[in-house]
Amino acid sequence: MLPVPKSTKQETILIKGQNQFVKFLNSKKVVPYIFVLPFILSFLILSLYPSIQAIIMSFQSVLPGQVTFIGTDNYSRIFNPTFFKALSNTTIYVILTVSILVAFPIIIAVLLDSKIVRFKTFFRSSLFVPALTSTIVAGMVFRLLFGESDSAAANQFLNWIGLESVEWRYNAWSGMFLMVLLCSWRWMGVNILYFLAALQNIPKETYEAADIDGATAFQKFRYVTLPFLKPVTIFVTTISIIAGFRMFEESFVYWPAGSPGNIGLTVVGYLYQQGIQQNDMGFGAAIGVVLMLIIFVISFIQLILTGAFKRGDE
Amino acid sequence: MERKNSKSLKWITNISFFVIAFITLFPILSLLLSSFRPSTELMRKGISLTLDPSTLNLDNYTYIFTQAADYWTWYGNSLAISAITIILSLFFSSMVGYALALYDFKGKNLFFTLVLFILMVPFEILMLPLFQLMIKMQLINTYAAVVIPAIVAPVAVFFFRQYCLGLPKELMDAARIDGSTEYGIFFKIMLPLMTPSLAAMAILQGLHSWNNFLWPLIVLRSNDMFTLPIGLATLLTPYGNNYDVLIAGSVMTIVPIIILFIFFQRYFVAGLTVGGVKG
């Protein structure tokens, strides 16, 4: 047996140790955890912690360097006319945008999928383009098209068909119209694509069977197409409702310094105004928690209504 | 009789589609045209349906390319923030989605459920505590503050997972027999196979951070750190004197995106309709 020089021995141990560590890092048991580590960290730091912190803050008065527990004061303060105005604006906005962004895309997608319409690719692309713009830029253009003066496009059109000019950004109804229009304009094309994708999954035989039974075009739409579109409709409705309750920019771009009589105030707008601009973070957090509850309750009701909890998927 | 009817119906449908497409593109086309008109008058009178060709000129563009240093700072910020967001979020999200799809390990289902759960939680609710966190970490008014919340995007994780479920697992086993490490398998074999999904997510993340508004509005404080949407929004005041920058600047904010869209339509569509992926 040859005596092993001391230094080499040490080196071998070191290398061995290193090897084991590398092996450990490379074992199939450990690797997946290393891969999901970024998610775990981001979940803990950027989702879980802020959620808990939001709930804690909503029971506090948060002033710079002075945080005090104030119980449910923030929540009792929420039930004020301004918040209800924001909530009713947001709710109306959600109802309008969801109806528009479900009904029209279905009809347009069905027609685009049929043999009737030509230049399909062109139409599909042009309806999609608005989704590429930022709400700020698009909103600025809408402001110019719906300007107050008689020479702005919308008023020119109204005058042309014999109606009076409208001060678009200064009436409750027209303010709502502007916000709904901006949102619908931007998302119409995306929703059309969702429905188009779903339409392509309907087996052709179903239509052939309906043809043999002598179904009319409308009957085919009502009894074949619509039932097949149910899952995607539920999906589109859900994301549109959530996006609607989160709305902020569509209002900000028309009234960056606040709207007259709060005609454009939304729940998130109120959160921004109170939490950031007034620096009342505790109150802002409480608004956030209420918003979260509203979204949860609505999603839950929707899941029950659409039968997502029934056993057996359609 | 019936045939005649259906033929006219066809005409009506096709014509109404042209009308719809025209109405949809009208705001963008009118912005393009208006950018060649005197901007102060434009802001006062709005965009008209009538156009006097003799008023068209290049002044707005001359101004923005020669005088508007601020605008180019914002442009640089937007480019940098979008690029950093794309690189980091693609790197991390693809790793997570890949592991969730192709490895079996304890807690896998829990992690996936959490991803879906975060997808449902509106960012606005976490916004104030995150803002506080950024203040504590002294990141206010930095790129980091804007980028950090977007690093691991649940949408992207979900998308990559769905995509990876369709990749052949046998490739991984073959590579293991050849002596590749698990990381080598991911970076050298599987990641290249994920290219289409990476392109779709690059577009989704890029577009999102290019157009993102509320969060950057909160954490970016000084003019030299603003992104394009924030900077342009500061010009939207009734007393502004920078309308030339606003109009021409808006055009140059959306035109590059539209050009990219023309070339990479497929990936835009895949990226923006993520939820349509079957689960």
Side-chain angles (χ1 to χ4, degrees), chain A residues 25-26 32-34 43 57 116 118 125 127-129 132 134 140 144 149 151 153 156 185 246 272 288 292, chain B residues 10 14 24 27-28 45-49 105-106 118 124-125 129 132 182-183 211 213 217 250 261 265 275:
Chain A
L25 278 185
N26 194 34
Y33 292 102
I34 293 175
F43 171 74
M57 265 166 72
I116 305 173
R118 307 180 66 189
S125 311
L127 293 176
F128 189 82
V129 167
L132 308 172
S134 79
M140 192 263 312
L144 293 178
S149 83
S151 56
Q156 271 185 324
W185 179 75
R246 297 175 56 184
Y272 173 75
M292 182 83 232
Chain B
K10 230 178 207 175
N14 275 292
T24 307
I28 294 171
K45 292 189 173 168
I47 297 176
S48 306
L49 292 171
F105 56 102
K106 247 191 177 168
I118 304 176
E124 288 71 17
I125 289 151
Q132 263 193 337
E182 298 294 322
Y183 307 99
N211 291 338
F213 187 70
L217 176 72
S250 295
F261 171 67
Q265 239 188 85

Side-chain angles (χ1 to χ4, degrees), chain B:
Chain B
M1 177 70 192
E2 205 180 44
R3 191 175 257 175
K4 211 175 180 182
N5 232 336
S6 78
K7 210 172 186 183
S8 59
L9 200 72
K10 230 178 207 175
W11 270 101
I12 293 170
T13 319
N14 275 292
I15 291 170
S16 30
F17 263 86
F18 272 107
V19 174
I20 294 172
F22 178 73
I23 293 174
T24 307
L25 294 178
F26 183 75
I28 294 171
L29 296 175
S30 61
L31 172 67
L32 283 180
L33 262 182
S34 305
S35 67
F36 298 103
R37 288 179 50 199
S39 58
T40 312
E41 186 202 307
L42 189 70
M43 290 307 278
R44 213 178 55 237
K45 292 189 173 168
I47 297 176
S48 306
L49 292 171
T50 46
L51 183 73
D52 178 3
S54 67
T55 59
L56 296 183
N57 61 62
L58 283 169
D59 289 357
N60 294 333
Y61 290 97
T62 322
Y63 183 84
I64 208 168
F65 278 108
T66 53
Q67 321 269 323
D70 275 359
Y71 177 79
W72 296 106
T73 312
W74 304 336
Y75 216 101
N77 291 336
S78 269
L79 279 177
I81 288 175
S82 300
I84 299 169
T85 308
I86 291 174
I87 293 168
L88 291 180
S89 76
L90 253 56
F91 180 75
F92 290 120
S93 309
S94 64
M95 251 164 53
V96 179
Y98 165 78
L100 288 178
L102 296 173
Y103 283 97
D104 283 312
F105 56 102
K106 247 191 177 168
K108 175 173 155 167
N109 288 330
L110 171 75
F111 292 135
F112 186 57
T113 315
L114 286 178
V115 172
L116 294 181
F117 185 72
I118 304 176
L119 260 177
M120 301 288 288
V121 178
F123 175 78
E124 288 71 17
I125 289 151
L126 311 176
M127 203 169 65
L128 294 179
L130 279 176
F131 175 55
Q132 263 193 337
L133 189 69
M134 295 302 155
I135 297 175
K136 267 186 215 149
M137 289 161 70
Q138 299 191 317
L139 290 176
I140 293 299
N141 210 21
T142 62
Y143 288 169
V146 184
V147 172
I148 285 174
I151 285 183
V152 184
V155 192
V157 171
F158 177 77
F159 187 80
F160 286 126
R161 175 190 175 266
Q162 303 308 99
Y163 193 85
C164 286
L165 285 175
L167 295 179
K169 250 185 165 175
E170 301 77 46
L171 272 180
M172 298 168 69
D173 291 328
R176 275 183 201 122
I177 295 167
D178 288 346
S180 285
T181 64
E182 298 294 322
Y183 307 99
I185 295 174
F186 174 63
F187 286 111
K188 288 192 192 131
I189 300 171
M190 302 309 267
L191 205 55
L193 291 179
M194 290 165 68
T195 314
S197 64
L198 289 168
M201 284 304 102
I203 282 166
L204 177 72
Q205 295 297 322
L207 197 60
H208 182 258
S209 76
W210 187 256
N211 291 338
N212 197 9
F213 187 70
L214 183 51
W215 179 246
L217 176 72
I218 292 173
V219 292
L220 298 177
R221 286 301 161 87
S222 63
N223 197 45
D224 62 318
M225 289 304 291
F226 285 168
T227 56
L228 280 171
I230 315 290
L232 290 175
T234 62
L235 303 179
L236 261 179
T237 58
Y239 317 106
N241 49 7
N242 271 325
Y243 293 139
D244 23 23
V245 178
L246 180 61
I247 305 292
S250 295
V251 172
M252 286 190 291
T253 307
I254 56 175
V255 165
I257 312 284
I258 294 178
I259 292 172
L260 280 177
F261 171 67
I262 292 168
F263 287 107
F264 301 103
Q265 239 188 85
R266 210 152 57 90
Y267 300 113
F268 271 86
V269 168
L272 267 84
T273 52
V274 179
V277 188
K278 279 216 179 124

Side-chain angles (χ1 to χ4, degrees), chain A residues 109-298:
Chain A
V110 168
L111 289 172
L112 273 180
D113 195 48
S114 71
K115 290 180 196 119
I116 305 173
V117 178
R118 307 180 66 189
F119 310 110
K120 290 173 197 216
T121 330
F122 167 74
F123 288 131
R124 223 173 30 214
S125 311
S126 12
L127 293 176
F128 189 82
V129 167
L132 308 172
T133 62
S134 79
T135 311
I136 298 304
V137 168
M140 192 263 312
V141 181
F142 276 64
R143 271 175 75 149
L144 293 178
L145 290 171
F146 290 87
E148 278 71 49
S149 83
D150 289 340
S151 56
N155 280 340
Q156 271 185 324
F157 180 76
L158 285 185
N159 296 340
W160 182 64
I161 59 170
L163 294 172
E164 296 271 301
S165 293
V166 172
E167 291 197 305
W168 294 94
R169 289 193 297 129
Y170 300 93
N171 298 307
W173 70 269
S174 54
M176 180 60 70
F177 171 80
L178 287 180
M179 294 190 288
V180 172
L181 184 72
L182 178 53
C183 172
S184 308
W185 179 75
R186 286 188 67 231
W187 290 111
M188 187 74 77
V190 175
N191 286 4
I192 290 172
L193 289 177
Y194 278 126
F195 287 112
L196 269 177
L199 284 171
Q200 256 122 48
N201 288 330
I202 302 179
K204 288 266 181 321
E205 299 83 51
T206 335
Y207 286 115
E208 282 159 17
D211 276 335
I212 293 168
D213 290 344
T216 64
F218 179 75
Q219 281 172 328
K220 275 190 272 184
F221 174 71
R222 171 71 187 78
Y223 296 105
V224 179
T225 314
L226 277 188
F228 267 104
L229 290 182
K230 194 181 164 194
V232 71
T233 310
I234 294 173
F235 168 77
V236 169
T237 313
T238 312
I239 53 168
S240 307
I241 290 177
I242 296 179
F245 274 105
R246 297 175 56 184
M247 193 271 267
F248 171 76
E249 291 168 39
E250 281 85 353
S251 157
F252 185 92
V253 70
Y254 291 122
W255 306 279
S259 50
N262 288 329
I263 54 171
L265 188 68
T266 66
V267 176
V268 173
Y270 191 48
L271 190 159
Y272 173 75
Q273 188 193 83
Q274 297 296 318
I276 303 287
Q277 288 181 321
Q278 312 278 348
N279 207 10
D280 191 349
M281 288 222 214
F283 188 53
I287 299 170
V289 173
V290 172
L291 176 65
M292 182 83 232
L293 289 176
I294 293 172
I295 291 178
F296 270 166
V297 169
I298 289 176

